[in-house]
Amino acid sequence: MLRVDHIWAKRGAAVALRNVSLSLSAGKTLAVVGESGAGKSTLIASILGLLRPSAGAITWDHQPVSSCRPALVMQEPRSAFNPVWPLMRAVREPVLGQEQSVTNERIARLCRGLELPMELLERRPREVSVGQVQRVGILRALIAAPPLILFDEPLSALDAVTQKHTARLIADMQQEEGFAALIVTHDLGYALAFADSIAVLKDGQIESISDPGSFVTNPGSSYCQALRDAAVALGSIEVAA
Amino acid sequence: MMLTVVGFLVRAMVVLTGTALLTFALLWNAPGDPAQAIAIARFNAVPTQDVIDQVRAEAGLNASFWAAFLNWIGPLLLFDFGNSSVTGRPVGPDLWVAATYSFPLAITALAIGLAISLPLAILATRRPGGFMDRFAVAIASLGTAIPAFWLGLLLILLFAVQLAWLPAMGARTPTHAVLPALTLGLGIAASLTRIIRSGILEAWEQPFLAAFRHRGVSDRAIGRDHIGPHAAVPVVTVFGLELAFLLEGVVVVEVIFGRPGLGSFLTSAILARDFPHVQAVVLLTALVFVVVNLIIDVVYRVLDPRIGEPDA
Amino acid sequence: MRSVAVIGAAILLFVVFGPLLATHDPSTINIPKRLSPPGDEFFLGTDALGRDILSRILHGARWSLGLAFLISLIGLCVGTLIGLLAALGGKLADWVVMRTTDTFLSFPELVAAVVIAGLMGAGTWSLIFALSVTSWMRYARVARGIGLSLQSRGYVIQARLAGMSPLYIARWHYLPSLLPSLTVVWTGMFARAILGISSLGFLGFGVQPPMPEWGTMLLDARVHMRSTPLQMIWPGLAVVVSVLAINLAGDALRDALAKTERAK
């Protein structure tokens, strides 16, 4: 279980996270929703250990998070891959020392699950569509079977149709592999449709944490209400009267 | 602002201390017996072992490395460079005399370089790709490829040997300085022309200038108000690098033209193993470098206020 | 990239096969024929000891160009390693490396090389050492700068998350991105090394006679400027042509890189 315990973090001189606490059980999905600048990227960097919080603790099963080798799916699919490498080489990076045949088998299985043709992995990131690169990114995140995967705006670089497809595939893979997913997104509709619980982040602080059902019926703070109403107006969610 | 000034000074101190330490370590570990070299230079004869030992004691070469280093650096903080181990005279006044030959030469050369490169670059950029532009680029490329010592020799060959217009060796009259200053100045002109030219061209590429021209602002006004300041930034930067070129050039040119100055001071000190002299020249050079770079940094911030802001 | 390859190949061919074109032994002394003008027997004339100047220039390429190549390569390797250390080694390593680089840069390279070579005792090894010690800083700066900018690239973060060691990341992710810029710096430093070697040779601190290094040849020729001025032209011309060719190749390479950069 992921436990984020009262963390404070700075980006440069500015305070980016104030007293943030979260928890995420194994196999579950937590969506962190907020606008740009709310501190979402700082939260991800802190959980992954890329940034040291100035106060507070982050653990996975009472150990430092790095002990579970969490994986990350990035917002910009192409930049997550070395531009001069075939995708296959990057996919193998997390399992470099392991048995080749086992890895090959796993790649083949994950490719089927993610609806990726194997030949695609021989190409370079620039020669493949963004949607496909993002699925390769998910494949790489899954390859070492980590218990925790972070998704940083996994859909925002994709077009609407691909977004739906990719969201569906992430959910399917989670069913199959059983990882815990922390999804950072500004898309409330996506969060409501796929997450077990929703945390709203605003100006570096947690505004509310609730399950999707109670979020829609009873958003709580005025900010959360505005967020819900905007999503309703756009038609991305429906509220039973 | 206070903080940046303090930061500068700390950095300058680190650099100067580092230079002093490196030089001292180099001198300390130089192969051969320095005491013997000094004794030979001082008495102009092959010395006996007694004499060498005596020199060693006098020059403080018996002490340990750190003791000797502190012994040297302590008085240095009061601008006392010690005494020459060859002549026994204080280093300071001799160094000052050498500097009075070298610095005017360097400044004259810089003036010559600017006087040639600025008009050339402005003419060249009137019509980029035109004849003048190609000419300027070709001259500049050629100029940066010619070693200073060879250029000096060619100028001597032409103006002193063949035409006999100018004197070549020594520094008795101001005319003796013409060829050395020209040698250095031409070298500087070559690299400055390149930099100023690309600075101006880059300045013209700023997108808003097209709009200005479209609105009928004259080229002259744009040049004065926008191109000049914009092109000045890289030019100022390069001045720091030119300084290195100048100091190198001074050493070489003084040797070619048989002029007294820091270059001759340094080379004869090295050959005689006169450690206090070598150390003095090295530190003076580093000091000049640090000070000029400090000034450049300040000018830089004045020209382009964005530099030095966080996240810029 | 092609222009650099062509220049590199041309210089390599010249260094390897140039001496084979020499008509005379470069160090055979022939006093009766001393200071002869250019002619059939001695294409560019002879020097004060009657040695064939053309043969000396051809053999001198091994010293002037070969040594410059070696020195610039040493600087490239050392500087890149130091720069990567600064970029990957954390804040303290970065501070130490950058202040050291500042210290080395705060001094005109040639003057430093004169001091080092002079104190170590004139000779080829001290020349190589002196010019290498003063030539790594630019590479280090470039390597560090690009290295720091790569730190936030997605694929570098992914490699770190995958548990790759800094050494692996430096070798496989940083180095390939550094190479183009480092090659541009290298062409400039190669040209500088040629100038440095000949300058030190001319000042008497470089390759020692009777080796036919171009700067050393000029030192010899200078004495006879009045009687045989042409003797002083040829070695200098050899330096200028080599430096010019390398600089032009470097310019072409930089332009080509800028173009691909923009195309991205």
Side-chain angles (χ1 to χ4, degrees), chain B:
Chain B
M1 192 60 198
M2 230 9 242
L3 210 67
T4 34
V5 171
V6 172
F8 278 148
L9 292 179
V10 168
R11 273 178 68 167
M13 278 320 293
V14 169
V15 165
L16 283 178
T17 318
T19 313
L21 191 60
L22 279 174
T23 320
F24 196 82
L26 184 72
L27 292 170
W28 196 257
N29 293 311
D33 182 2
Q36 188 183 0
I38 294 168
I40 293 172
R42 192 181 290 181
F43 303 112
N44 234 338
V46 177
T48 62
Q49 191 59 43
D50 286 351
V51 175
I52 295 175
D53 288 341
Q54 195 187 339
V55 167
R56 197 190 314 278
E58 271 172 38
L61 294 167
N62 280 328
S64 73
F65 175 80
W66 289 106
F69 179 66
L70 292 176
N71 226 343
W72 169 61
I73 200 110
L76 200 63
L77 296 175
L78 305 166
F79 292 98
D80 176 3
F81 287 104
N83 294 332
S84 158
S85 43
V86 175
T87 63
R89 290 202 316 224
V91 174
D94 286 354
L95 184 70
W96 172 248
V97 171
T100 54
Y101 279 101
S102 294
F103 284 119
L105 179 66
I107 292 168
T108 317
L110 201 56
I112 293 175
L114 269 178
I116 297 174
S117 58
L118 203 60
L120 192 60
I122 292 175
L123 274 179
T125 49
R126 281 259 170 90
R127 250 176 357 103
F131 172 76
M132 262 317 283
D133 194 24
R134 284 163 185 225
F135 176 74
V137 170
I139 289 287
S141 306
L142 193 64
T144 43
I146 295 179
F149 66 90
W150 194 54
L151 183 62
L153 292 179
L154 291 184
L155 290 177
I156 293 178
L157 192 59
L158 182 62
F159 291 106
V161 177
Q162 301 289 340
L163 299 171
W165 286 355
L166 289 164
M169 305 301 282
R172 264 173 298 124
T173 64
T175 48
H176 280 86
V178 174
L179 286 182
L182 203 60
T183 307
L184 274 176
L186 287 175
I188 293 166
S191 52
L192 274 184
T193 305
R194 277 173 83 106
I195 304 296
I196 299 176
R197 175 184 168 274
S198 52
I200 295 176
L201 287 182
E202 207 174 279
W204 272 117
E205 276 175 11
Q206 297 171 97
F208 60 86
L209 289 182
F212 276 26
R213 274 180 138 174
H214 193 72
R215 283 207 319 247
V217 181
S218 75
D219 277 4
R220 181 172 287 265
I222 291 179
R224 190 189 56 226
D225 297 339
H226 298 283
I227 305 295
H230 191 98
V233 174
V235 173
V236 167
T237 324
V238 166
F239 247 70
L241 299 173
E242 285 312 311
L243 185 80
F245 179 87
L246 260 177
L247 291 170
E248 289 177 3
V250 164
V251 172
V252 174
V253 161
E254 281 176 357
V255 172
I256 305 171
F257 290 92
R259 281 177 68 85
L262 290 175
S264 318
F265 192 88
L266 177 68
T267 41
S268 56
I270 290 172
L271 291 174
R273 306 268 146 166
D274 191 343
F275 289 177
H277 272 193
V278 176
Q279 285 161 337
V281 180
V282 167
L283 272 191
L284 180 67
T285 316
L287 185 69
V288 169
F289 227 68
V290 166
V291 169
V292 170
N293 277 308
L294 267 174
I295 297 171
I296 286 172
D297 240 54
V298 172
V299 174
Y300 219 49
R301 279 154 205 265
V302 173
L303 284 174
D304 190 345
R306 283 171 302 180
I307 296 165
E309 281 174 20
D311 288 334

Side-chain angles (χ1 to χ4, degrees), chain B residues 27 150 248 256 273 282, chain C residues 102 107 109-110 119 222 232:
Chain B
L27 292 170
W150 194 54
E248 289 177 3
I256 305 171
R273 306 268 146 166
V282 167
Chain C
D102 279 352
F107 211 80
E109 288 151 43
L110 186 63
L119 290 176
R222 178 189 169 201
M232 220 182 61

Side-chain angles (χ1 to χ4, degrees), chain C:
Chain C
M1 225 42 186
R2 201 166 43 184
S3 54
V4 172
V6 169
I7 291 287
I11 284 173
L12 202 67
L13 283 176
F14 195 64
V15 168
V16 175
F17 296 109
L20 300 181
L21 300 174
T23 49
H24 295 70
D25 182 88
S27 37
T28 302
I29 295 171
N30 187 351
I31 299 293
K33 294 274 176 67
R34 70 191 291 263
L35 299 175
S36 352
D40 288 341
E41 191 188 351
F42 302 105
F43 195 66
L44 298 178
T46 60
D47 67 6
L49 295 175
R51 296 172 294 195
D52 180 43
I53 291 179
L54 176 63
S55 303
R56 285 179 72 71
I57 288 181
L58 289 172
H59 278 272
R62 289 219 172 144
W63 295 101
S64 300
L65 300 182
L67 279 183
F69 188 80
L70 180 67
I71 288 165
S72 55
L73 224 52
I74 294 175
L76 173 70
C77 297
V78 173
T80 308
L81 279 180
I82 291 178
L84 284 176
L85 180 70
L88 283 160
K91 279 219 169 84
L92 182 68
D94 190 29
W95 192 87
V96 171
V97 166
M98 285 331 285
R99 291 298 81 80
T100 312
T101 312
D102 279 352
T103 307
F104 273 83
L105 271 177
S106 75
F107 211 80
E109 288 151 43
L110 186 63
V111 178
V114 166
V115 173
I116 296 172
L119 290 176
M120 284 180 67
T124 308
W125 287 111
S126 42
L127 170 80
I128 294 175
F129 179 75
L131 285 176
S132 303
V133 161
T134 53
S135 73
W136 55 271
M137 295 82 75
R138 278 159 221 265
Y139 301 108
R141 283 219 162 158
V142 169
R144 171 185 175 267
I146 299 180
L148 286 182
S149 77
L150 287 174
Q151 225 166 37
S152 56
R153 291 286 168 84
Y155 55 90
V156 173
I157 292 175
Q158 289 288 356
R160 277 172 70 188
L161 290 177
M164 300 293 114
S165 69
L167 211 64
Y168 172 96
I169 296 178
R171 167 66 189 86
W172 296 110
H173 289 297
Y174 281 35
L175 209 53
S177 309
L178 289 173
L179 275 181
S181 306
L182 286 178
T183 313
V184 172
V185 177
W186 174 73
T187 58
M189 293 307 289
F190 187 14
R192 283 180 79 97
I194 295 175
L195 290 174
I197 290 171
S198 61
S199 300
L200 284 181
F202 179 77
L203 293 174
F205 295 116
V207 177
Q208 294 299 300
M211 306 310 182
E213 191 271 320
W214 295 340
T216 318
M217 288 175 72
L218 279 167
L219 179 60
D220 291 342
R222 178 189 169 201
V223 188
H224 305 280
M225 189 189 286
R226 276 174 200 280
S227 52
T228 51
L230 275 180
Q231 193 194 334
M232 220 182 61
I233 303 292
W234 308 120
L237 213 53
V239 172
V240 173
V241 169
S242 322
V243 172
L244 198 59
I246 293 166
N247 278 343
L248 290 178
D251 286 354
L253 178 68
R254 195 180 44 219
D255 291 349
L257 284 178
K259 223 177 248 172
T260 49
E261 228 13 71
R262 236 175 285 146
K264 270 184 189 169

Side-chain angles (χ1 to χ4, degrees), chain A residues 48 50 69-70 72-74 79-83 85 89 93-94 96 140, chain C residues 153-164 168 172-173 176-177 264:
Chain A
L48 290 173
L50 300 171
R69 279 278 160 81
L72 170 69
V73 174
M74 294 180 151
S79 76
F81 289 90
N82 191 326
W85 283 9
R89 191 169 168 193
E93 220 176 40
L96 213 56
R140 170 169 58 185
Chain C
R153 291 286 168 84
Y155 55 90
V156 173
I157 292 175
Q158 289 288 356
R160 277 172 70 188
L161 290 177
M164 300 293 114
Y168 172 96
W172 296 110
H173 289 297
S177 309
K264 270 184 189 169

